[in-house]
Amino acid sequence: MKSKILALLRERGDYVSGQELCERFGVSRTAVWKAIGQLKKEGYCMEAVQNKGYLLVEDKELYGQHELESRMNTKWAGHPLFFYDELPSTNLQAKLDAEKGAREGTLIVADMQTAGRGRKGRSWSSPAGTNIYFTLILKPEYSVERASMVTLLMGLAVAEGIRETCGAESFIKWPNDIVIHGKKVCGMLAEMSVEREFIHYIVMGVGVNVGQQEFVPEIASMATSLWQECGRKVSRAGLIVNVMKSFEHYYDVFQREGSISPLLQRYNELLVNRDREVRVLDPKGEFRGISRGINENGELLVEREDGTLTAVYAGEVSVRGIYGYV
Ligand code: BTN
């Protein structure tokens, strides 16, 4: 009920009487009064005026279960949502929940991670009070070959979510990273449980550097945050909601059409290396070419010197710019 009260007060932007809250949520005056008291304890500023009711004054950024729940304006992505102050890893928690039957759309968010996981067995630095770490659970009915599309759709959603939330011009570094001015601001890690051709679940983990002001010297030249790029605080809750909204839209299109074809143009517009020379780090041998965007299978098309196009599959290779990461 607390999230619903918050959502109503935010939407109204004016005083809402205790009576209206009671009627709306079918609870007693005491229950409303208690909920308001608990929200105040969580840090919300509630002005209470006799004969007028309650007014929500949003004077600082709050981040937690009720903030996220009260803002989530999606149909299924982000419902239900579980917020933790601390977790080893949201991907790990999501897998445990998925095993226990959590439904598609369930979102696990943590303020910090003690064992954040990156790709290729690396760790993901996850300090408290500053960045975003979340994992979305999906229970697809499509075959395993299409599972890699989920990362592409999430990349699209994060790049657009960042643009919408703070205006920073973020781009996709196919297939797993989001970059701004050539530096990584977000990493994604999809993991799945498969039996023969049947996907039990996919957990789609996303880490975005939002408020981080400094990075360790080893990654400082390659990493950035929204704070560094925009020069101001960016709402973590606002960004998660925008990403979920966008992901839900793209995932619904993908499911309905059975392919990412309708989204290719937008994806390729946001591709950071499009029409630029790249190095393809293929275990069978490195080669160079011009990146020409992805095809409907999610493969990156790289034009070789002789004009032929090679479709590069994400699982096997990494792609770099000629002079470095992008
Ligand atoms: C990478 O670029 O190496 C991928 C990083 C993925 C990090 C996110 S943070 C939320 C989720 N939980 C994890 O343990 N990892 C992913």
Side-chain angles (χ1 to χ4, degrees), residues 92-106:
L92 207 61
Q93 184 63 44
K95 284 194 223 173
L96 294 173
D97 292 351
E99 297 283 353
K100 284 194 217 133
R103 70 165 195 245
E104 171 148 289
T106 302

Side-chain angles (χ1 to χ4, degrees), residues 167-303:
E169 291 211 338
S170 55
F171 289 93
I172 303 165
K173 182 177 174 294
W174 177 88
N176 294 294
D177 298 347
I178 303 298
V179 297
I180 304 178
H181 293 130
K183 291 180 164 191
K184 177 164 170 172
V185 70
C186 161
M188 296 180 282
L189 177 65
E191 299 179 83
M192 61 180 164
S193 160
V194 184
E195 201 180 302
R196 286 187 213 105
E197 284 305 281
F198 177 71
I199 304 176
H200 287 294
Y201 59 80
I202 298 178
V203 298
M204 182 68 244
V206 177
V208 187
N209 301 328
V210 178
Q212 194 156 338
Q213 301 191 8
E214 279 181 342
F215 293 91
V216 290
E218 303 87 75
I219 61 164
S221 64
M222 269 168 37
T224 191
S225 69
L226 297 182
W227 188 89
Q228 286 183 338
E229 296 301 325
C230 308
R232 65 177 171 85
K233 278 193 113 182
V234 173
S235 160
R236 286 184 286 169
L239 179 54
I240 292 182
V241 169
N242 286 339
V243 171
M244 281 302 110
K245 188 84 186 159
S246 196
F247 181 81
E248 180 176 271
H249 167 71
Y250 289 129
Y251 198 71
D252 285 348
V253 171
F254 166 64
Q255 298 257 68
R256 199 171 51 237
E257 303 295 322
S259 105
I260 58 164
S261 296
L263 309 172
L264 278 185
Q265 189 188 341
R266 184 61 185 143
Y267 192 94
N268 286 328
E269 280 167 8
L270 292 175
L271 202 58
V272 71
N273 275 325
R274 179 131 193 238
D275 297 332
R276 285 207 242 148
E277 197 173 3
V278 291
R279 280 189 304 139
V280 179
L281 311 181
D282 188 327
K284 290 186 232 109
E286 182 179 324
F287 66 92
R288 288 183 178 206
I290 310 287
S291 150
R292 294 295 186 203
I294 64 165
N295 63 15
E296 61 279 2
N297 301 323
E299 297 159 325
L300 187 70
L301 298 171
V302 179
E303 189 180 326

Side-chain angles (χ1 to χ4, degrees), residues 67-74 77-79 81 107 240-241 244-245:
E67 184 66 11
L68 284 161
E69 243 173 22
S70 66
R71 284 172 176 257
M72 197 58 73
N73 54 2
T74 48
H79 302 289
L81 180 154
L107 185 67
I240 292 182
V241 169
M244 281 302 110
K245 188 84 186 159

Side-chain angles (χ1 to χ4, degrees), residues 89-91 113 116-119 124 134-135 184 187-188 205-207:
S89 151
T90 55
N91 269 29
Q113 298 183 118
R117 295 143 69 105
R119 292 181 55 247
W124 184 259
F134 72 73
T135 302
K184 177 164 170 172
M188 296 180 282
V206 177

